[in-house]
Amino acid sequence: MSIPALSPPRSAFQAYVAEWLRNPRGDVLSGILVALALIPEAIAFSIIAGVDPQVGLYASFIIAIVIAFVGGRPAMISAATGAMALVMTGLVRDHGLQYLFAATILTGVLQLAFGWAGLARYLKFVPRPVMTGFVNALAILIFLAQLPQFAGEGWQMYALLALALAIIYLLPRVFRAVPSPLVAIVVVSLIAYFAHADVRTVGDMGRLPTALPLLSLPQVPLTLETLGIVFPVALTLSLVGLLESLLTAQLVDERTDTTSDKNTESRGQGVANVITGLFGGMAGCAMIGQSMINVGSGGRGRLSTFVAGVFLLLLILVMQPLLVQIPMAALVAVMIMVSIGTFDWGSLRTLARYPRGETLVMLSTVAVTVATHDLSKGVLVGVVLSALLFARQVSRLSRVSHEDAPDGTRTYHVSGQLFFVSTHDFVHSFDLDRPVTRVVIDLTGAHLWDGSAVAALDKVRSRFAARGLPVELVGLNAASETLLDRLTAGGPAGGH
């Protein structure tokens, strides 16, 4: 029987090239659709930050193009985002645009440092309920962000919106060669143009740039005072950007059943923000909504992100007369589709079956995120709440039982994890007034995790010692004994 030859493993370069070329048709079509969806968001986020729309548009196409080459998650879309824009508002208002560019560059430098330090590995501490809450909150925020587009609009807006949604959801049943959202945008735009529909268009969102950005350093004094102004903002931007980017990367991993290099993505975000700041753009990060559009429309490789950035640039500079004619109803329909597709509807069906603690974490993450419009705050609350609930649950697993010997010795058997949450019940589990001659505390089934556990154990021994009862510790594992010896600093060990 012949043994088939094993194919040689692909080199890193071959794998990188494959990330560009494995899905050209799907990547190009999805990238074009994403570029159209980036326009209103970039303009809206610029307004939130208090800057001219061209700042957000410059950032969006620069970040998308750069991250396509240096990012760690193929098919993920990065650009100007609302979460980042909210952090910039005070800096722009109090110090001006040039300080924003300086903060953007420093944001990139910090993200590079975080990427080199490998901080992405801490993403594993984000529990599943927090991820679910993060996704559901984002879907709600995407939907809520579309509501202002309905203000002051008449029946024509609603008719075009309904038509676009019908095309998006019904066309795939008979035709899949082109993403249905892209078809919806083209059809609705043609109808609105030839029918002279009185609806809001992309051109009504704000002034679009007419030239490429120029390379220049921020015009700020290079002093410690300047650093003191921009560093707190840059640190917040870098953390918010990395958190949103890494969670988005993990979501894309799950949706595409693939893996990605989170530390490479962290460094890529840093490079993109440094370059953006040098070319007059605002800091950005991964966009979950546009990433879901890309993946849902067939985008799988780096080419889709690159096409999104390049086509956005072409739309702005070359096809601007056509771009400004696109009715907002078409783009709103696409974003509504994204919000519906992003929301984890299965999480609602399983609310009654999941442990109450996990449900509370998920709902808290959603509530805080929607209330603050800040994904990072929602995730932080969810992680902290998960940690507290986990600590509370683990603390309930510690037990203290006892048995008495004929010679007057009482042995207490301790099992479970002893740390700051479980020490209160542990201390009160011993009967100090029991008439015994000797006390043995058997810790074979226990583990001491922190100084609180050592202090609690020492408190129990001190209470027995005050009554003239010797205490012997037995069964300590090596790690617990080392911790006990180090924290008691040569004090009485109680015979352990």
Side-chain angles (χ1 to χ4, degrees):
M1 182 178 68
S2 61
I3 300 176
L6 295 176
S7 58
R10 292 192 302 178
S11 66
F13 177 74
Q14 288 173 323
Y16 181 78
V17 171
E19 291 175 349
W20 280 92
L21 303 178
R22 63 186 173 192
N23 182 40
R25 182 179 172 280
D27 286 347
V28 169
L29 291 175
S30 60
I32 291 173
L33 176 61
V34 169
L36 291 167
L38 282 172
I39 298 280
E41 301 258 313
I43 296 174
F45 298 150
S46 299
I47 295 172
I48 291 173
V51 300
D52 192 89
Q54 71 178 14
V55 177
L57 290 168
Y58 284 160
S60 292
F61 76 73
I62 291 172
I63 292 174
I65 291 173
V66 173
I67 206 69
F69 288 94
V70 299
R73 172 64 261 181
M76 190 168 74
I77 305 298
S78 295
T81 65
M84 302 285 269
L86 288 170
V87 179
M88 305 169 188
T89 304
L91 179 65
V92 174
R93 181 189 64 242
D94 298 335
H95 300 283
L97 186 60
Q98 294 298 320
Y99 279 82
L100 173 60
F101 297 152
T104 297
I105 294 172
L106 184 55
T107 296
V109 172
L110 291 173
Q111 289 177 330
L112 279 167
F114 292 151
W116 282 322
L119 297 184
R121 63 181 178 271
Y122 294 109
L123 186 65
K124 64 186 177 183
F125 292 108
V126 179
R128 180 71 185 180
V130 177
M131 276 294 298
T132 303
F134 170 77
V135 170
N136 290 346
L138 175 75
I140 294 172
L141 289 177
I142 291 173
F143 180 80
L144 293 177
Q146 311 313 309
L147 297 183
Q149 301 299 333
F150 293 90
E153 292 292 326
W155 68 269
Q156 294 175 323
M157 157 72 169
Y158 293 94
L160 292 175
L161 175 66
L163 174 61
L165 288 172
I167 294 174
I168 288 171
Y169 285 106
L170 298 179
L171 183 64
R173 298 184 179 184
V174 295
F175 180 75
R176 291 180 173 271
V178 179
S180 61
L182 185 58
V183 175
I185 291 174
V186 174
V187 171
V188 170
S189 298
L190 290 173
I191 291 175
Y193 178 77
F194 287 109
H196 302 287
D198 183 18
V199 293
R200 187 178 301 151
T201 65
V202 171
D204 297 322
M205 292 288 292
R207 183 173 62 90
L208 302 181
T210 57
L212 288 170
L214 299 176
L215 174 65
S216 64
L217 290 173
Q219 300 302 305
V220 297
L222 300 178
T223 63
L224 290 177
E225 181 182 1
T226 299
L227 182 62
I229 292 171
V230 301
F231 181 80
V233 178
L235 180 60
T236 304
L237 286 171
S238 62
L239 294 175
V240 170
L242 285 183
L243 178 61
E244 191 162 347
S245 297
L246 296 180
L247 289 176
T248 303
Q250 186 164 313
L251 180 60
V252 175
D253 287 352
E254 294 179 0
R255 294 293 173 92
T256 59
D257 196 24
T258 57
T259 58
S260 59
D261 189 330
K262 304 302 187 298
N263 287 317
T264 298
E265 183 61 38
S266 299
R267 296 191 293 270
Q269 293 289 330
V271 172
N273 278 317
V274 169
I275 295 176
T276 300
L278 291 173
F279 281 92
M282 57 196 280
C285 64
M287 303 184 76
I288 300 186
Q290 277 67 15
S291 296
M292 292 300 99
I293 292 176
N294 192 37
V295 172
S297 302
R300 290 295 182 272
R302 295 179 182 271
L303 183 60
S304 61
T305 308
F306 178 77
V307 169
V310 171
F311 194 71
L312 175 59
L313 179 61
L314 292 176
L315 285 171
I316 296 171
L317 300 183
V318 180
M319 294 181 281
Q320 191 169 134
L322 296 176
L323 172 64
V324 297
Q325 299 297 327
I326 297 176
M328 289 303 300
L331 298 179
V332 168
V334 173
M335 298 312 296
I336 289 176
M337 175 206 73
V338 172
S339 67
I340 293 173
T342 301
F343 196 91
D344 186 355
W345 299 99
S347 64
L348 298 181
R349 294 191 296 269
T350 57
L351 280 179
R353 298 202 305 267
Y354 270 65
R356 285 181 296 178
E358 293 191 11
T359 299
L360 176 62
V361 169
M362 191 270 283
L363 295 177
S364 298
T365 303
V366 171
V368 173
T369 301
V370 172
T372 63
H373 284 229
D374 190 335
L375 293 167
S376 62
K377 287 187 175 69
V379 171
L380 178 61
V381 168
V383 170
V384 171
L385 185 58
S386 292
L388 292 176
L389 291 173
F390 174 76
R392 180 171 175 267
Q393 187 68 24
V394 171
S395 70
R396 293 177 173 179
L397 300 178
S398 62
R399 295 285 185 273
V400 178
S401 59
H402 67 270
E403 62 177 345
D404 296 319
D407 62 357
T409 298
R410 166 167 282 202
T411 301
Y412 289 92
H413 299 280
V414 183
S415 62
Q417 313 303 312
L418 298 182
F419 61 112
F420 66 96
V421 176
S422 59
T423 54
H424 179 272
D425 291 340
F426 170 76
V427 169
H428 292 86
S429 298
F430 297 86
D431 186 356
L432 302 176
D433 298 322
R434 180 78 176 180
V436 297
T437 59
R438 180 168 166 266
V439 173
V440 176
I441 300 179
D442 183 1
L443 295 154
T444 303
H447 187 93
L448 308 183
W449 284 103
D450 57 12
S452 296
V454 173
L457 186 60
D458 191 57
K459 187 174 183 177
V460 170
R461 290 191 295 171
S462 297
R463 286 182 173 182
F464 278 118
R467 288 164 173 75
L469 293 174
V471 176
E472 180 183 1
L473 303 183
V474 299
L476 276 170
N477 60 43
S480 298
E481 186 167 7
T482 299
L483 178 67
L484 181 65
D485 286 340
R486 186 170 74 246
L487 295 186
T488 52
H496 70 283

